[in-house]
Amino acid sequence: KNQVEQSPQSLIILEGKNCTLQCNYTVSPFSNLRWYKQDTGRGPVSLTIMTFSENTKSNGRYTATLDADTKQSSLHITASQLSDSASYICVVSGDSSGGYNKLIFGAGTRLAVHP
Amino acid sequence: GAGVSQTPSNKVTEKGKYVELRCDPISGHTALYWYRQSLGQGPEFLIYFQGTGAADDSGLPNDRFFAVRPEGSVSTLKIQRTERGDSAVYLCASSPRTGGPTDTQYFGPGTRLTVL
């Protein structure tokens, strides 16, 4: 069964600190992996997209890594800010037999940054 | 430019009623997706449109759910005989095209449906 699992479920850190969120997946076939940020009451916003051949991708203070052999990804947030408080969702795109990339979402990690 | 918009932002209805949820995608986007997000969970795929046609409706949970996109832009998700288990946030997303491995889906803010 295609699954995307994230850890931890929730995380509290102090402003200015770094953190790393984890994602394991069993989706096959694999096309690409995305990290989304979802603020409370809003739709998800794409942070990074990585294909099979990419093992790292940065977007400002966000750096995502991908190990396609072990089917693991991480999202590292540097020098956290209060505005980073949100849910971070790992999304794997695999089956494209329907002519599009079907997305499978993890449950997300809820991050709270405290002053 | 305007992003994906959804109306209403909140909808409260009684069990057994009919509801319609609307999605206005980004202008020019040919691909449109509906997802359902339960509390504390990631979105789950419902249906995908390419233009006017539903290319994949395998995520619709049962025949009470139906979606249309008659002119290839605005889409309406229709739920008949609502049940309390239908309560969730319904998200719509659009993308410029389909098939590209890094095609980004742009999400709307969602409609929070509560069935009493």
Side-chain angles (χ1 to χ4, degrees):
Chain A
K1 180 181 177 184
N2 289 329
Q3 285 187 312
V4 178
E5 296 185 350
Q6 294 187 243
S7 61
Q9 280 189 328
S10 61
L11 181 63
I12 300 173
I13 62 173
L14 294 178
E15 186 179 13
K17 297 296 186 182
N18 303 335
C19 67
T20 301
L21 314 180
Q22 302 291 343
C23 173
N24 297 321
Y25 62 93
T26 58
V27 177
S28 181
F30 172 85
S31 175
N32 58 78
L33 185 145
R34 310 159 185 232
W35 282 92
Y36 277 84
K37 178 185 180 186
Q38 185 173 25
D39 292 308
T40 301
R42 308 292 293 273
V45 174
S46 180
L47 295 176
T48 62
I49 300 175
M50 289 181 291
T51 60
F52 182 88
S53 59
E54 298 174 293
N55 55 26
T56 188
K57 182 73 70 78
S58 291
N59 178 0
R61 295 179 296 103
Y62 301 104
T63 299
T65 65
L66 172 64
D67 185 335
D69 291 331
T70 62
K71 299 187 177 182
Q72 296 179 323
S73 176
S74 66
L75 180 69
H76 186 74
I77 305 175
T78 303
S80 61
Q81 300 176 357
L82 298 179
S83 60
D84 292 333
S85 296
S87 286
Y88 292 84
I89 305 176
C90 177
V91 186
V92 179
S93 174
D95 180 9
S96 61
S97 60
Y100 71 104
N101 285 282
K102 199 164 190 174
L103 302 185
I104 299 172
F105 292 75
T109 291
R110 184 172 295 278
L111 174 67
V113 180
H114 290 183
Chain B
V4 178
S5 62
Q6 294 185 244
T7 54
S9 56
N10 281 282
K11 176 70 177 178
V12 180
T13 190
E14 293 180 344
K15 179 175 178 293
K17 298 292 188 182
Y18 168 82
V19 296
E20 289 189 352
L21 312 179
R22 176 187 168 108
C23 172
D24 282 82
I26 294 172
S27 178
H29 280 194
T30 59
L32 185 146
Y33 310 79
W34 282 98
Y35 296 88
R36 179 167 70 174
Q37 186 172 25
S38 300
L39 190 63
Q41 300 297 315
E44 290 181 301
F45 168 80
L46 293 177
I47 187 169
Y48 156 65
F49 286 91
Q50 180 56 234
T52 60
D56 184 352
D57 64 358
S58 62
L60 296 178
N62 51 60
D63 61 6
R64 295 186 298 105
F65 289 74
F66 189 70
V68 296
R69 195 185 185 200
E71 298 179 357
S73 55
V74 171
S75 177
T76 304
L77 179 65
K78 308 180 181 191
I79 310 175
Q80 298 177 319
R81 304 183 305 280
T82 52
E83 300 178 356
R84 293 194 178 89
D86 298 336
S87 297
V89 174
Y90 289 82
L91 292 165
C92 175
S94 70
S95 62
R97 59 185 180 91
T98 186
T102 57
D103 204 19
T104 295
Q105 293 186 21
Y106 298 87
F107 283 81
T111 293
R112 180 175 297 278
L113 174 66
T114 302
V115 181
L116 301 178

